[in-house]
């Protein structure tokens, strides 16, 4: 079972193109990356306000997220 860092509703889920990792964006401002086969939390990134959406780049190397803090952030999906 997964232990989630989220404390509020998950707004968006995105799969990395290879299917091995997915990301979630939540109203708690957290964008999280997960290993699909195990449910292990791989990374947790923070916005200052509600995170609304996340999406992987076509090559799977970047993860973009946007939030109510009026930012779009690009994360390195390889780290």
């Amino acid at each position: 079972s997964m232990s989630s860092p989220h404390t509020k509703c998950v707004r968006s889920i995105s799969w990395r193109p290879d299917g091995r990792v997915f990301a979630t964006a939540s109203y708690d401002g957290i964008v999280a990356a997960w290993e699909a086969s195990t449910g292990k939390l791989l990374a947790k990134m923070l916005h200052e306000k509600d995170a609304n959406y996340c999406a992987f780049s076509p090559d799977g190397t970047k993860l973009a997220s946007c939030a109510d803090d009026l930012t779009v952030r690009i994360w390195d999906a390889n780290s």
Side-chain angles (χ1 to χ4, degrees), residues 53-79:
Y53 188 73
C54 60
F56 282 96
S57 61
D59 65 3
T61 62
K62 303 289 183 201
L63 176 66
S65 62
C66 63
D68 285 351
D69 58 10
L70 304 179
T71 64
V72 174
R73 297 187 181 178
I74 308 294
W75 314 95
D76 181 355
N78 292 322
S79 58

Side-chain angles (χ1 to χ4, degrees), residues 41-56:
L41 180 65
L42 299 174
K44 182 172 93 169
M45 295 75 64
L46 297 174
H47 278 276
E48 293 178 21
K49 294 189 178 180
D50 298 359
N52 296 308
Y53 188 73
C54 60
F56 282 96

Side-chain angles (χ1 to χ4, degrees), residues 1 3 5 7-8 13 22 27 29 33 35-37 39 41-43 54-55 61-63 65:
S1 71
S3 177
T7 59
K8 293 186 178 177
I13 298 173
F22 66 94
Y27 286 144
E35 184 175 61
S37 63
L41 180 65
L42 299 174
C54 60
T61 62
K62 303 289 183 201
L63 176 66
S65 62

Side-chain angles (χ1 to χ4, degrees), residues 10 12 15-16 18 23-24 33-34 38 42 47-48 58 62 64:
V10 170
S12 175
W15 285 90
R16 195 168 72 181
D18 66 9
T24 53
W34 307 87
T38 65
L42 299 174
H47 278 276
E48 293 178 21
K62 303 289 183 201

